[in-house]
Amino acid sequence: MVSHQLLELEQSIHNLSLEDKLWLLDKIFEQVRGTAENEEESYHQENIEYDERAKPIWEIAVEIGAKIPDSEWEKVPSDLSKNFDSYQG
């Protein structure tokens, strides 16, 4: 249920000029972004631990690549890394 204060705020916003509404919207976005960034940063700092036993990502990529048949690798364009954008469909 929406509180009485929010309903009053909605009416106040309705009465604002377009310029004031855009200013208010910008301020709300700034606060939401700041809150989201702080929460994400806090989450990452609290929940990430380095594991020395973990395989490096390049080793995992090599293992996955080794499971792909040569016939499929032959379909990969030789200039893919240089012209990646042109191959996006």
Side-chain angles (χ1 to χ4, degrees):
M1 181 164 176
V2 177
S3 72
H4 179 69
Q5 287 177 312
L6 285 176
L7 293 174
E8 287 180 4
L9 180 59
E10 179 186 27
Q11 184 59 43
S12 297
I13 292 170
H14 179 73
N15 295 330
L16 293 174
S17 68
L18 178 59
E19 183 179 334
D20 288 345
K21 288 177 183 176
L22 292 172
W23 178 88
L24 180 59
L25 184 60
D26 186 52
K27 294 301 175 187
I28 291 170
F29 280 147
E30 284 178 13
Q31 286 195 4
V32 169
R33 265 191 305 252
T35 302
E37 287 171 2
N38 289 341
E39 288 176 0
E40 185 176 324
E41 184 177 310
S42 174
Y43 173 80
H44 287 300
Q45 289 175 350
E46 293 172 7
N47 295 311
I48 295 179
E49 293 181 19
Y50 181 73
D51 184 354
E52 293 180 13
R53 299 166 296 161
K55 280 186 186 177
I57 190 70
W58 66 267
E59 284 184 15
I60 295 169
V62 168
E63 289 175 1
I64 292 171
K67 295 177 183 176
I68 299 172
D70 288 341
S71 60
E72 292 301 313
W73 281 118
E74 290 170 5
K75 297 176 185 176
V76 177
S78 61
D79 63 342
L80 180 62
S81 65
K82 292 179 184 175
N83 299 308
F84 182 77
D85 290 337
S86 66
Y87 287 105
Q88 294 296 303

